[in-house]
Amino acid sequence: MSDSILMQVENGVATITLNRPQVFNSFNREMAFAMQDALDQCAANDEVRAVLILGEGKAFCAGQDIQEITNPELHPGFKAILDDHYNPIVLKIRDLEKPVVAGVNGVAAGAGANLAICCDVVIAAESAAFIQAFSKIGLIPDSAGTFFLPRLIGFGKASAAMMLADKITATEAEQMGMIYKAIPDADFLATAQKTARKLAALPTVALANTKKALNQSFYNTVEEQLALESKLQIESAATEDYAEGVASFMEKRKPVFKGK
């Protein structure tokens, strides 16, 4: 893994830090592959039960590194940028059988905004902002932005946000349902970390199955979704964590889930 992506695992939480602060954590090819590698490591490591994504410095992520796409010697082409860089990152986040928290510490623009909103829980500092910046340079929103944003805030607001490229403050994002919570800056990091630790201590299989059901809800009929819920509920009920949850409830004590 390159220095552009940092990762540490502690208390069941893998903290992935986007680490190109000099360019507001914008992605180049090296960083995109390093991010994919970090997500693969999270999937393979049983000690990891939740993931927290943060940005180093003032920004969360400014999207694509413009220097890369304006340099003919570096530009891999837009097909490669999407097919090889961003699309796999989005799919790895959604397919990861562990909850992913986006801790948006500063501006999240372009692909950076859309990578944040594809996570399971989005917490932002009140000074942070989200910008669908694509139209400013003659591009369309990518990184599944046209998929997730209309489902989060509705067609009309999503269309306006993408076409006008207005800055949406974290508080506005919370009010319109784009993110889970906007937190005062002084409390932001502690809250994001606490949220990730809380998720890591919950029944991992049940959370993974919840994520699978939510993913399929975008496509299924009611009948198909009911059948999927039945299947996943049976799987969840067969776990050690379910037995522990029931036992702790009956014994009036705090459960100790092991993610099994």
Side-chain angles (χ1 to χ4, degrees), residues 116-164:
I117 65 173
C118 84
C119 293
D120 300 300
V121 179
V122 185
I123 293 174
E126 285 184 346
S127 63
F130 298 81
I131 310 171
Q132 293 289 326
F134 302 90
S135 66
K136 291 184 176 182
I137 58 171
L139 294 176
I140 74 156
D142 55 36
S143 306
T146 59
F147 184 87
F148 287 105
L149 195 60
R151 288 166 169 80
L152 289 168
I153 66 174
F155 184 92
K157 286 187 179 295
S159 177
M162 290 176 169
M163 292 186 179
L164 295 171

mmCIF file of all heavy atoms in Angstrom, residues 116-164:
data_model
loop_
_atom_site.group_PDB
_atom_site.id
_atom_site.type_symbol
_atom_site.label_atom_id
_atom_site.label_comp_id
_atom_site.label_asym_id
_atom_site.label_seq_id
_atom_site.Cartn_x
_atom_site.Cartn_y
_atom_site.Cartn_z
ATOM 1 N N ALA A 116 -18.308 9.172 -0.389
ATOM 2 C CA ALA A 116 -18.794 9.323 0.991
ATOM 3 C C ALA A 116 -20.225 8.833 1.116
ATOM 4 O O ALA A 116 -20.544 8.043 2.008
ATOM 5 C CB ALA A 116 -18.690 10.781 1.429
ATOM 6 N N ILE A 117 -21.103 9.263 0.206
ATOM 7 C CA ILE A 117 -22.525 8.947 0.378
ATOM 8 C C ILE A 117 -22.866 7.504 0.032
ATOM 9 O O ILE A 117 -23.983 7.057 0.317
ATOM 10 C CB ILE A 117 -23.436 9.913 -0.400
ATOM 11 C CG1 ILE A 117 -23.233 9.782 -1.908
ATOM 12 C CG2 ILE A 117 -23.236 11.345 0.074
ATOM 13 C CD1 ILE A 117 -24.241 10.589 -2.729
ATOM 14 N N CYS A 118 -21.928 6.758 -0.536
ATOM 15 C CA CYS A 118 -22.198 5.341 -0.779
ATOM 16 C C CYS A 118 -21.872 4.500 0.450
ATOM 17 O O CYS A 118 -22.150 3.296 0.473
ATOM 18 C CB CYS A 118 -21.449 4.825 -2.003
ATOM 19 S SG CYS A 118 -19.744 4.303 -1.726
ATOM 20 N N CYS A 119 -21.305 5.118 1.485
ATOM 21 C CA CYS A 119 -20.996 4.393 2.716
ATOM 22 C C CYS A 119 -22.267 4.159 3.518
ATOM 23 O O CYS A 119 -23.310 4.766 3.275
ATOM 24 C CB CYS A 119 -19.960 5.168 3.529
ATOM 25 S SG CYS A 119 -18.333 5.261 2.734
ATOM 26 N N ASP A 120 -22.180 3.290 4.525
ATOM 27 C CA ASP A 120 -23.354 2.912 5.307
ATOM 28 C C ASP A 120 -23.807 4.005 6.250
ATOM 29 O O ASP A 120 -25.008 4.200 6.461
ATOM 30 C CB ASP A 120 -23.046 1.635 6.095
ATOM 31 C CG ASP A 120 -22.686 0.478 5.175
ATOM 32 O OD1 ASP A 120 -23.529 0.112 4.340
ATOM 33 O OD2 ASP A 120 -21.561 -0.030 5.283
ATOM 34 N N VAL A 121 -22.867 4.702 6.857
ATOM 35 C CA VAL A 121 -23.174 5.797 7.774
ATOM 36 C C VAL A 121 -22.238 6.949 7.431
ATOM 37 O O VAL A 121 -21.026 6.745 7.294
ATOM 38 C CB VAL A 121 -22.955 5.375 9.249
ATOM 39 C CG1 VAL A 121 -23.255 6.540 10.191
ATOM 40 C CG2 VAL A 121 -23.823 4.164 9.601
ATOM 41 N N VAL A 122 -22.804 8.150 7.272
ATOM 42 C CA VAL A 122 -21.984 9.319 6.949
ATOM 43 C C VAL A 122 -22.128 10.342 8.071
ATOM 44 O O VAL A 122 -23.227 10.810 8.366
ATOM 45 C CB VAL A 122 -22.387 9.960 5.609
ATOM 46 C CG1 VAL A 122 -21.418 11.091 5.254
ATOM 47 C CG2 VAL A 122 -22.432 8.923 4.495
ATOM 48 N N ILE A 123 -21.007 10.658 8.692
ATOM 49 C CA ILE A 123 -20.943 11.677 9.737
ATOM 50 C C ILE A 123 -20.001 12.765 9.249
ATOM 51 O O ILE A 123 -18.913 12.477 8.760
ATOM 52 C CB ILE A 123 -20.449 11.070 11.064
ATOM 53 C CG1 ILE A 123 -21.491 10.082 11.603
ATOM 54 C CG2 ILE A 123 -20.161 12.156 12.093
ATOM 55 C CD1 ILE A 123 -21.049 9.328 12.827
ATOM 56 N N ALA A 124 -20.432 14.023 9.366
ATOM 57 C CA ALA A 124 -19.626 15.120 8.856
ATOM 58 C C ALA A 124 -19.427 16.195 9.913
ATOM 59 O O ALA A 124 -20.306 16.434 10.746
ATOM 60 C CB ALA A 124 -20.282 15.733 7.622
ATOM 61 N N ALA A 125 -18.275 16.828 9.880
ATOM 62 C CA ALA A 125 -18.049 18.016 10.694
ATOM 63 C C ALA A 125 -18.931 19.140 10.159
ATOM 64 O O ALA A 125 -19.181 19.224 8.954
ATOM 65 C CB ALA A 125 -16.573 18.418 10.633
ATOM 66 N N GLU A 126 -19.396 20.002 11.058
ATOM 67 C CA GLU A 126 -20.292 21.084 10.625
ATOM 68 C C GLU A 126 -19.635 22.013 9.610
ATOM 69 O O GLU A 126 -20.319 22.628 8.785
ATOM 70 C CB GLU A 126 -20.771 21.885 11.838
ATOM 71 C CG GLU A 126 -21.835 21.156 12.655
ATOM 72 C CD GLU A 126 -22.381 21.987 13.801
ATOM 73 O OE1 GLU A 126 -21.750 23.033 14.133
ATOM 74 O OE2 GLU A 126 -23.407 21.603 14.375
ATOM 75 N N SER A 127 -18.317 22.106 9.627
ATOM 76 C CA SER A 127 -17.618 22.967 8.667
ATOM 77 C C SER A 127 -17.422 22.292 7.315
ATOM 78 O O SER A 127 -16.963 22.929 6.362
ATOM 79 C CB SER A 127 -16.252 23.378 9.226
ATOM 80 O OG SER A 127 -15.424 22.231 9.398
ATOM 81 N N ALA A 128 -17.764 21.010 7.224
ATOM 82 C CA ALA A 128 -17.596 20.284 5.956
ATOM 83 C C ALA A 128 -18.668 20.683 4.962
ATOM 84 O O ALA A 128 -19.686 21.300 5.311
ATOM 85 C CB ALA A 128 -17.646 18.778 6.212
ATOM 86 N N ALA A 129 -18.448 20.313 3.709
ATOM 87 C CA ALA A 129 -19.416 20.621 2.655
ATOM 88 C C ALA A 129 -19.330 19.566 1.572
ATOM 89 O O ALA A 129 -18.295 18.907 1.396
ATOM 90 C CB ALA A 129 -19.154 22.004 2.071
ATOM 91 N N PHE A 130 -20.419 19.411 0.841
ATOM 92 C CA PHE A 130 -20.523 18.456 -0.252
ATOM 93 C C PHE A 130 -20.810 19.224 -1.545
ATOM 94 O O PHE A 130 -21.705 20.067 -1.578
ATOM 95 C CB PHE A 130 -21.646 17.450 0.020
ATOM 96 C CG PHE A 130 -21.429 16.628 1.254
ATOM 97 C CD1 PHE A 130 -21.734 17.137 2.510
ATOM 98 C CD2 PHE A 130 -20.908 15.344 1.176
ATOM 99 C CE1 PHE A 130 -21.526 16.385 3.664
ATOM 100 C CE2 PHE A 130 -20.692 14.590 2.312
ATOM 101 C CZ PHE A 130 -21.009 15.113 3.559
ATOM 102 N N ILE A 131 -20.043 18.911 -2.589
ATOM 103 C CA ILE A 131 -20.218 19.618 -3.862
ATOM 104 C C ILE A 131 -20.191 18.616 -5.009
ATOM 105 O O ILE A 131 -19.222 17.873 -5.176
ATOM 106 C CB ILE A 131 -19.105 20.663 -4.099
ATOM 107 C CG1 ILE A 131 -18.923 21.572 -2.889
ATOM 108 C CG2 ILE A 131 -19.420 21.493 -5.342
ATOM 109 C CD1 ILE A 131 -17.702 22.475 -2.969
ATOM 110 N N GLN A 132 -21.271 18.581 -5.780
ATOM 111 C CA GLN A 132 -21.294 17.811 -7.023
ATOM 112 C C GLN A 132 -20.657 18.679 -8.108
ATOM 113 O O GLN A 132 -21.342 19.336 -8.889
ATOM 114 C CB GLN A 132 -22.733 17.436 -7.372
ATOM 115 C CG GLN A 132 -23.374 16.468 -6.399
ATOM 116 C CD GLN A 132 -22.794 15.071 -6.500
ATOM 117 O OE1 GLN A 132 -22.419 14.609 -7.579
ATOM 118 N NE2 GLN A 132 -22.721 14.379 -5.372
ATOM 119 N N ALA A 133 -19.330 18.681 -8.133
ATOM 120 C CA ALA A 133 -18.582 19.683 -8.892
ATOM 121 C C ALA A 133 -18.447 19.387 -10.384
ATOM 122 O O ALA A 133 -17.859 20.181 -11.121
ATOM 123 C CB ALA A 133 -17.194 19.826 -8.279
ATOM 124 N N PHE A 134 -18.987 18.280 -10.833
ATOM 125 C CA PHE A 134 -18.712 17.795 -12.194
ATOM 126 C C PHE A 134 -19.106 18.789 -13.283
ATOM 127 O O PHE A 134 -18.382 18.980 -14.263
ATOM 128 C CB PHE A 134 -19.445 16.468 -12.426
ATOM 129 C CG PHE A 134 -19.094 15.397 -11.454
ATOM 130 C CD1 PHE A 134 -19.815 15.241 -10.267
ATOM 131 C CD2 PHE A 134 -18.044 14.540 -11.696
ATOM 132 C CE1 PHE A 134 -19.495 14.244 -9.367
ATOM 133 C CE2 PHE A 134 -17.711 13.537 -10.799
ATOM 134 C CZ PHE A 134 -18.436 13.393 -9.618
ATOM 135 N N SER A 135 -20.287 19.413 -13.166
ATOM 136 C CA SER A 135 -20.768 20.282 -14.235
ATOM 137 C C SER A 135 -19.873 21.501 -14.431
ATOM 138 O O SER A 135 -19.869 22.111 -15.500
ATOM 139 C CB SER A 135 -22.206 20.741 -13.953
ATOM 140 O OG SER A 135 -22.269 21.572 -12.812
ATOM 141 N N LYS A 136 -19.087 21.837 -13.415
ATOM 142 C CA LYS A 136 -18.208 23.004 -13.522
ATOM 143 C C LYS A 136 -17.103 22.798 -14.551
ATOM 144 O O LYS A 136 -16.524 23.769 -15.048
ATOM 145 C CB LYS A 136 -17.589 23.316 -12.159
ATOM 146 C CG LYS A 136 -18.591 23.839 -11.137
ATOM 147 C CD LYS A 136 -17.892 24.216 -9.839
ATOM 148 C CE LYS A 136 -18.863 24.839 -8.846
ATOM 149 N NZ LYS A 136 -18.195 25.264 -7.587
ATOM 150 N N ILE A 137 -16.799 21.528 -14.848
ATOM 151 C CA ILE A 137 -15.761 21.272 -15.858
ATOM 152 C C ILE A 137 -16.314 20.445 -17.019
ATOM 153 O O ILE A 137 -15.553 19.814 -17.750
ATOM 154 C CB ILE A 137 -14.517 20.591 -15.237
ATOM 155 C CG1 ILE A 137 -14.888 19.267 -14.541
ATOM 156 C CG2 ILE A 137 -13.826 21.521 -14.261
ATOM 157 C CD1 ILE A 137 -13.675 18.458 -14.112
ATOM 158 N N GLY A 138 -17.631 20.432 -17.170
ATOM 159 C CA GLY A 138 -18.226 19.789 -18.339
ATOM 160 C C GLY A 138 -18.328 18.283 -18.271
ATOM 161 O O GLY A 138 -18.347 17.610 -19.305
ATOM 162 N N LEU A 139 -18.410 17.737 -17.048
ATOM 163 C CA LEU A 139 -18.538 16.292 -16.885
ATOM 164 C C LEU A 139 -19.862 15.956 -16.196
ATOM 165 O O LEU A 139 -20.571 16.838 -15.719
ATOM 166 C CB LEU A 139 -17.370 15.747 -16.053
ATOM 167 C CG LEU A 139 -15.983 15.853 -16.684
ATOM 168 C CD1 LEU A 139 -14.919 15.366 -15.712
ATOM 169 C CD2 LEU A 139 -15.913 15.065 -17.987
ATOM 170 N N ILE A 140 -20.188 14.671 -16.137
ATOM 171 C CA ILE A 140 -21.377 14.226 -15.426
ATOM 172 C C ILE A 140 -20.969 13.583 -14.105
ATOM 173 O O ILE A 140 -19.837 13.112 -13.957
ATOM 174 C CB ILE A 140 -22.218 13.220 -16.257
ATOM 175 C CG1 ILE A 140 -21.520 11.841 -16.300
ATOM 176 C CG2 ILE A 140 -22.460 13.739 -17.662
ATOM 177 C CD1 ILE A 140 -22.469 10.696 -16.565
ATOM 178 N N PRO A 141 -21.868 13.544 -13.112
ATOM 179 C CA PRO A 141 -21.545 12.869 -11.864
ATOM 180 C C PRO A 141 -21.294 11.382 -12.092
ATOM 181 O O PRO A 141 -22.024 10.730 -12.840
ATOM 182 C CB PRO A 141 -22.794 13.092 -11.003
ATOM 183 C CG PRO A 141 -23.444 14.290 -11.589
ATOM 184 C CD PRO A 141 -23.172 14.213 -13.062
ATOM 185 N N ASP A 142 -20.254 10.865 -11.458
ATOM 186 C CA ASP A 142 -19.936 9.442 -11.568
ATOM 187 C C ASP A 142 -19.785 8.852 -10.173
ATOM 188 O O ASP A 142 -20.309 9.392 -9.208
ATOM 189 C CB ASP A 142 -18.683 9.224 -12.437
ATOM 190 C CG ASP A 142 -17.473 10.006 -11.959
ATOM 191 O OD1 ASP A 142 -17.299 10.163 -10.733
ATOM 192 O OD2 ASP A 142 -16.676 10.471 -12.805
ATOM 193 N N SER A 143 -19.097 7.735 -10.068
ATOM 194 C CA SER A 143 -18.885 7.057 -8.783
ATOM 195 C C SER A 143 -20.207 6.768 -8.088
ATOM 196 O O SER A 143 -20.323 6.882 -6.867
ATOM 197 C CB SER A 143 -17.962 7.888 -7.878
ATOM 198 O OG SER A 143 -16.758 8.195 -8.545
ATOM 199 N N ALA A 144 -21.215 6.396 -8.891
ATOM 200 C CA ALA A 144 -22.549 6.015 -8.418
ATOM 201 C C ALA A 144 -23.326 7.169 -7.808
ATOM 202 O O ALA A 144 -24.342 6.957 -7.154
ATOM 203 C CB ALA A 144 -22.490 4.834 -7.446
ATOM 204 N N GLY A 145 -22.892 8.397 -8.047
ATOM 205 C CA GLY A 145 -23.636 9.540 -7.535
ATOM 206 C C GLY A 145 -25.047 9.620 -8.093
ATOM 207 O O GLY A 145 -25.997 9.928 -7.363
ATOM 208 N N THR A 146 -25.197 9.318 -9.385
ATOM 209 C CA THR A 146 -26.535 9.372 -9.980
ATOM 210 C C THR A 146 -27.423 8.238 -9.494
ATOM 211 O O THR A 146 -28.631 8.268 -9.688
ATOM 212 C CB THR A 146 -26.465 9.328 -11.524
ATOM 213 O OG1 THR A 146 -25.816 8.114 -11.944
ATOM 214 C CG2 THR A 146 -25.705 10.526 -12.074
ATOM 215 N N PHE A 147 -26.830 7.248 -8.843
ATOM 216 C CA PHE A 147 -27.591 6.146 -8.255
ATOM 217 C C PHE A 147 -28.018 6.474 -6.822
ATOM 218 O O PHE A 147 -29.197 6.382 -6.472
ATOM 219 C CB PHE A 147 -26.759 4.864 -8.268
ATOM 220 C CG PHE A 147 -27.493 3.647 -7.766
ATOM 221 C CD1 PHE A 147 -28.264 2.892 -8.619
ATOM 222 C CD2 PHE A 147 -27.402 3.260 -6.442
ATOM 223 C CE1 PHE A 147 -28.951 1.770 -8.154
ATOM 224 C CE2 PHE A 147 -28.072 2.145 -5.969
ATOM 225 C CZ PHE A 147 -28.855 1.403 -6.831
ATOM 226 N N PHE A 148 -27.050 6.876 -5.984
ATOM 227 C CA PHE A 148 -27.339 7.042 -4.562
ATOM 228 C C PHE A 148 -28.006 8.381 -4.229
ATOM 229 O O PHE A 148 -28.919 8.420 -3.392
ATOM 230 C CB PHE A 148 -26.054 6.888 -3.739
ATOM 231 C CG PHE A 148 -25.583 5.474 -3.660
ATOM 232 C CD1 PHE A 148 -24.489 5.036 -4.393
ATOM 233 C CD2 PHE A 148 -26.234 4.549 -2.854
ATOM 234 C CE1 PHE A 148 -24.057 3.728 -4.330
ATOM 235 C CE2 PHE A 148 -25.814 3.232 -2.780
ATOM 236 C CZ PHE A 148 -24.728 2.819 -3.520
ATOM 237 N N LEU A 149 -27.547 9.478 -4.833
ATOM 238 C CA LEU A 149 -28.052 10.778 -4.397
ATOM 239 C C LEU A 149 -29.555 10.944 -4.603
ATOM 240 O O LEU A 149 -30.237 11.424 -3.683
ATOM 241 C CB LEU A 149 -27.273 11.908 -5.077
ATOM 242 C CG LEU A 149 -27.469 13.283 -4.437
ATOM 243 C CD1 LEU A 149 -27.011 13.284 -2.984
ATOM 244 C CD2 LEU A 149 -26.718 14.361 -5.227
ATOM 245 N N PRO A 150 -30.139 10.563 -5.754
ATOM 246 C CA PRO A 150 -31.592 10.689 -5.874
ATOM 247 C C PRO A 150 -32.350 9.849 -4.856
ATOM 248 O O PRO A 150 -33.435 10.232 -4.412
ATOM 249 C CB PRO A 150 -31.881 10.196 -7.297
ATOM 250 C CG PRO A 150 -30.590 10.299 -8.019
ATOM 251 C CD PRO A 150 -29.529 10.058 -6.993
ATOM 252 N N ARG A 151 -31.782 8.716 -4.478
ATOM 253 C CA ARG A 151 -32.445 7.856 -3.502
ATOM 254 C C ARG A 151 -32.343 8.434 -2.085
ATOM 255 O O ARG A 151 -33.182 8.157 -1.234
ATOM 256 C CB ARG A 151 -31.836 6.449 -3.554
ATOM 257 C CG ARG A 151 -32.234 5.687 -4.816
ATOM 258 C CD ARG A 151 -31.369 4.459 -5.033
ATOM 259 N NE ARG A 151 -31.909 3.593 -6.074
ATOM 260 C CZ ARG A 151 -31.759 3.791 -7.374
ATOM 261 N NH1 ARG A 151 -31.068 4.852 -7.794
ATOM 262 N NH2 ARG A 151 -32.283 2.952 -8.251
ATOM 263 N N LEU A 152 -31.325 9.235 -1.845
ATOM 264 C CA LEU A 152 -31.146 9.832 -0.528
ATOM 265 C C LEU A 152 -31.971 11.110 -0.358
ATOM 266 O O LEU A 152 -32.594 11.314 0.684
ATOM 267 C CB LEU A 152 -29.666 10.147 -0.297
ATOM 268 C CG LEU A 152 -28.734 8.951 -0.097
ATOM 269 C CD1 LEU A 152 -27.277 9.394 -0.170
ATOM 270 C CD2 LEU A 152 -29.009 8.289 1.249
ATOM 271 N N ILE A 153 -31.970 11.963 -1.369
ATOM 272 C CA ILE A 153 -32.582 13.286 -1.187
ATOM 273 C C ILE A 153 -33.712 13.573 -2.165
ATOM 274 O O ILE A 153 -34.313 14.644 -2.098
ATOM 275 C CB ILE A 153 -31.521 14.406 -1.276
ATOM 276 C CG1 ILE A 153 -30.913 14.508 -2.684
ATOM 277 C CG2 ILE A 153 -30.421 14.178 -0.243
ATOM 278 C CD1 ILE A 153 -29.967 15.694 -2.847
ATOM 279 N N GLY A 154 -34.022 12.627 -3.054
ATOM 280 C CA GLY A 154 -35.090 12.838 -4.021
ATOM 281 C C GLY A 154 -34.558 13.330 -5.355
ATOM 282 O O GLY A 154 -33.484 13.929 -5.448
ATOM 283 N N PHE A 155 -35.346 13.076 -6.393
ATOM 284 C CA PHE A 155 -34.920 13.370 -7.765
ATOM 285 C C PHE A 155 -34.665 14.857 -7.974
ATOM 286 O O PHE A 155 -33.653 15.264 -8.543
ATOM 287 C CB PHE A 155 -36.002 12.878 -8.738
ATOM 288 C CG PHE A 155 -35.629 13.043 -10.186
ATOM 289 C CD1 PHE A 155 -35.004 12.032 -10.881
ATOM 290 C CD2 PHE A 155 -35.927 14.221 -10.871
ATOM 291 C CE1 PHE A 155 -34.658 12.182 -12.211
ATOM 292 C CE2 PHE A 155 -35.591 14.380 -12.203
ATOM 293 C CZ PHE A 155 -34.954 13.366 -12.878
ATOM 294 N N GLY A 156 -35.600 15.696 -7.516
ATOM 295 C CA GLY A 156 -35.499 17.128 -7.784
ATOM 296 C C GLY A 156 -34.279 17.760 -7.155
ATOM 297 O O GLY A 156 -33.542 18.516 -7.807
ATOM 298 N N LYS A 157 -34.038 17.469 -5.878
ATOM 299 C CA LYS A 157 -32.879 18.048 -5.201
ATOM 300 C C LYS A 157 -31.572 17.497 -5.759
ATOM 301 O O LYS A 157 -30.588 18.218 -5.889
ATOM 302 C CB LYS A 157 -32.972 17.795 -3.691
ATOM 303 C CG LYS A 157 -34.004 18.667 -2.979
ATOM 304 C CD LYS A 157 -33.918 18.494 -1.482
ATOM 305 C CE LYS A 157 -34.926 19.392 -0.765
ATOM 306 N NZ LYS A 157 -34.644 20.821 -0.962
ATOM 307 N N ALA A 158 -31.584 16.212 -6.107
ATOM 308 C CA ALA A 158 -30.373 15.620 -6.672
ATOM 309 C C ALA A 158 -30.049 16.243 -8.024
ATOM 310 O O ALA A 158 -28.890 16.565 -8.314
ATOM 311 C CB ALA A 158 -30.536 14.112 -6.813
ATOM 312 N N SER A 159 -31.068 16.422 -8.847
ATOM 313 C CA SER A 159 -30.869 17.033 -10.155
ATOM 314 C C SER A 159 -30.300 18.438 -10.021
ATOM 315 O O SER A 159 -29.346 18.817 -10.711
ATOM 316 C CB SER A 159 -32.199 17.062 -10.916
ATOM 317 O OG SER A 159 -32.044 17.704 -12.168
ATOM 318 N N ALA A 160 -30.874 19.223 -9.106
ATOM 319 C CA ALA A 160 -30.393 20.589 -8.902
ATOM 320 C C ALA A 160 -28.967 20.596 -8.365
ATOM 321 O O ALA A 160 -28.121 21.379 -8.823
ATOM 322 C CB ALA A 160 -31.322 21.325 -7.941
ATOM 323 N N ALA A 161 -28.683 19.726 -7.401
ATOM 324 C CA ALA A 161 -27.340 19.678 -6.824
ATOM 325 C C ALA A 161 -26.298 19.340 -7.878
ATOM 326 O O ALA A 161 -25.198 19.898 -7.890
ATOM 327 C CB ALA A 161 -27.295 18.651 -5.691
ATOM 328 N N MET A 162 -26.652 18.428 -8.791
ATOM 329 C CA MET A 162 -25.698 17.983 -9.798
ATOM 330 C C MET A 162 -25.535 18.987 -10.931
ATOM 331 O O MET A 162 -24.436 19.178 -11.456
ATOM 332 C CB MET A 162 -26.138 16.626 -10.344
ATOM 333 C CG MET A 162 -25.983 15.515 -9.322
ATOM 334 S SD MET A 162 -26.611 13.916 -9.888
ATOM 335 C CE MET A 162 -25.953 12.848 -8.594
ATOM 336 N N MET A 163 -26.599 19.640 -11.310
ATOM 337 C CA MET A 163 -26.511 20.588 -12.420
ATOM 338 C C MET A 163 -25.958 21.943 -11.988
ATOM 339 O O MET A 163 -25.158 22.555 -12.699
ATOM 340 C CB MET A 163 -27.878 20.744 -13.075
ATOM 341 C CG MET A 163 -28.332 19.490 -13.806
ATOM 342 S SD MET A 163 -29.870 19.738 -14.719
ATOM 343 C CE MET A 163 -30.075 18.118 -15.458
ATOM 344 N N LEU A 164 -26.383 22.421 -10.813
ATOM 345 C CA LEU A 164 -25.947 23.730 -10.339
ATOM 346 C C LEU A 164 -24.601 23.677 -9.634
ATOM 347 O O LEU A 164 -23.918 24.695 -9.531
ATOM 348 C CB LEU A 164 -26.998 24.316 -9.399
ATOM 349 C CG LEU A 164 -28.362 24.631 -10.028
ATOM 350 C CD1 LEU A 164 -29.373 25.001 -8.962
ATOM 351 C CD2 LEU A 164 -28.228 25.741 -11.063
#
